[in-house]
């Protein structure tokens, strides 16, 4: 279980806290969506969980352990970025196989895992292509497959579809919903898109100016059309 306890982040020189006293828990295999306008602190919050930023106050805990002393690469959390952040010169399959290779997963398990997520994200036909030759939507499918192939304890997604056009976004949201359900891991997803939040979130946390203003199961929140 992930738990944030009164977490604050103040960037040097900034007038306001980017993240202001946020406490929340992520339980079981739920997807919690952090929803709020640009600049409200969502990405910073995700980076604090990922270990790419450090809190100035408060704690980020996993199964009760304070993560302050656990570097990003040892947290076993996988992150998917808005701009995909793939290894551009590597092929699709080598991107997906990257984490299990680095983790020295045994060969059979590695092949199984890589094949599985390649298939689930419909990447098989693209396996040998260098990722720089792919479209945005294809690259984002590679990024999701690569993250899941790492068999992470927690998946972090930062505005994963905001660079894609409307129809493609809908398609990938539906695909992500299915694979998250199947992967059965907890997921923290950041978006400014209300429809995306309702489509993917089991619970939704509303963030404004660094503060958590409300957190509730999606079905208890009013979805403004
Ligand atoms: P969001 O993801 O909701 O758009 P961010 O977490 O990126 O919000 O940013 C929250 C606030 O912190 C914004 O005011 C932003 O300008 C500021 N900020 C983000 N990253 C940095 C940084 N590295 N240095 C200074 N200020 C930052
Ligand atoms: P997003 O809103 O998607 O997080 P931004 O454009 O706010 O994207 O930020 C892009 C990058 O720039 C992030 O790595 C963020 O930390 C950094 N950044 C954002 N605002 C500032 C700022 N005021 N000063 C320095 N870096 C910033």
């Amino acid at each position: 279980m992930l738990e944030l306890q009164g977490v604050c982040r103040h960037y040097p020189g900034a007038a306001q806290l980017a993240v202001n006293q946020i406490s929340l828990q992520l339980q079981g295999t739920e997807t919690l969506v952090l929803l709020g306008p640009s600049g409200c602190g969502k990405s910073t919050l995700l980076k604090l969980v990922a270990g790419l930023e450090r809190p100035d106050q408060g704690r980020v805990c996993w199964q009760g352990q304070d993560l302050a002393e656990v570097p990003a690469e040892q947290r076993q959390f996988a992150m998917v970025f808005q701009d995909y952040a793939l290894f551009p010169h590597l092929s699709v399959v080598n991107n997906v196989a990257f984490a299990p290779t680095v983790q020295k997963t045994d060969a059979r398990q590695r092949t199984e895992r890589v094949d599985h997520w390649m298939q689930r994200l419909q990447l098989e036909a693209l396996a040998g292509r260098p990722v720089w030759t792919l479209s945005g939507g294809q690259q984002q499918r590679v990024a999701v497959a690569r993250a899941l192939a790492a068999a992470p304890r927690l998946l972090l997604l930062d505005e994963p579809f905001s660079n894609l056009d409307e129809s493609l976004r809908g398609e990938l949201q539906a695909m992500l919903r299915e694979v998250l359900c199947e992967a059965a891991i907890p997921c923290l997803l950041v978006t400014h898109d209300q429809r995306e939040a309702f489509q993917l979130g089991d619970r939704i946390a509303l963030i404004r100016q660094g503060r958590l203003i409300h957190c509730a199961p999606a079905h208890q929140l009013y979805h403004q059309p």
Side-chain angles (χ1 to χ4, degrees):
M1 183 183 82
L2 179 77
E3 185 170 17
L4 274 63
Q5 300 170 347
V7 171
C8 296
R9 175 68 182 128
H10 179 239
Y11 289 112
Q16 294 188 25
L17 295 181
V19 168
N20 193 346
Q21 285 285 341
I22 290 196
S23 297
L24 52 83
Q25 292 184 353
L26 191 57
Q27 282 163 339
T29 60
E30 71 173 336
T31 295
L32 175 64
V33 172
L34 305 174
L35 174 65
S38 178
C40 74
K42 307 180 299 295
S43 296
T44 301
L45 199 58
L46 214 56
K47 287 178 193 164
L48 289 164
V49 173
L52 304 174
E53 286 282 351
R54 288 180 157 277
D56 296 302
Q57 265 183 57
R59 307 200 309 160
V60 179
C61 297
W62 177 260
Q63 319 285 30
Q65 182 197 11
D66 190 339
L67 291 179
E69 305 307 323
V70 183
E73 64 279 8
Q74 284 171 24
R75 293 188 182 193
Q76 295 173 257
F77 299 164
M79 187 139 164
V80 174
F81 297 89
Q82 185 173 353
D83 56 2
Y84 329 125
L86 298 166
F87 306 112
H89 55 289
L90 293 184
S91 66
V92 168
V93 69
N94 285 339
N95 267 273
V96 177
F98 187 82
T101 305
V102 173
Q103 293 161 353
K104 300 197 167 57
T105 310
D106 82 56
R108 208 192 51 159
Q109 213 187 349
R110 178 172 72 215
T111 310
E112 261 176 28
R113 220 195 270 164
V114 171
D115 288 354
H116 177 76
W117 293 116
M118 288 284 291
Q119 187 248 322
R120 294 297 288 122
L121 277 301
Q122 299 175 17
L123 292 168
E124 289 152 308
L126 302 171
R129 291 262 297 271
V131 294
W132 66 268
T133 67
L134 303 182
S135 70
Q138 291 169 334
Q139 290 194 44
Q140 200 52 300
R141 272 154 45 207
V142 177
V144 172
R146 183 179 65 171
L148 291 170
R153 307 190 288 185
L154 172 66
L155 183 64
L156 305 169
L157 300 128
D158 192 358
E159 304 260 8
F161 306 131
S162 60
N163 286 339
L164 306 176
D165 68 51
E166 184 77 31
S167 69
L168 192 55
R169 200 181 305 156
E171 220 175 278
L172 287 193
Q173 284 164 355
M175 190 182 275
L176 180 65
R177 200 178 161 78
E178 273 182 34
V179 299
L180 285 181
C181 188
E182 183 189 328
I185 51 169
C187 176
L188 197 55
L189 181 141
V190 157
T191 185
H192 64 268
D193 176 350
Q194 197 182 128
R195 276 182 49 195
E196 180 162 298
F198 277 88
Q199 176 151 26
L200 294 170
D202 297 309
R203 279 193 305 147
I204 298 177
L206 301 175
I207 314 286
R208 293 285 183 282
Q209 299 188 331
R211 292 179 180 276
L212 174 62
I213 57 169
H214 193 58
C215 185
H219 67 266
Q220 286 176 13
L221 290 169
Y222 174 59
H223 183 185
Q224 290 169 316

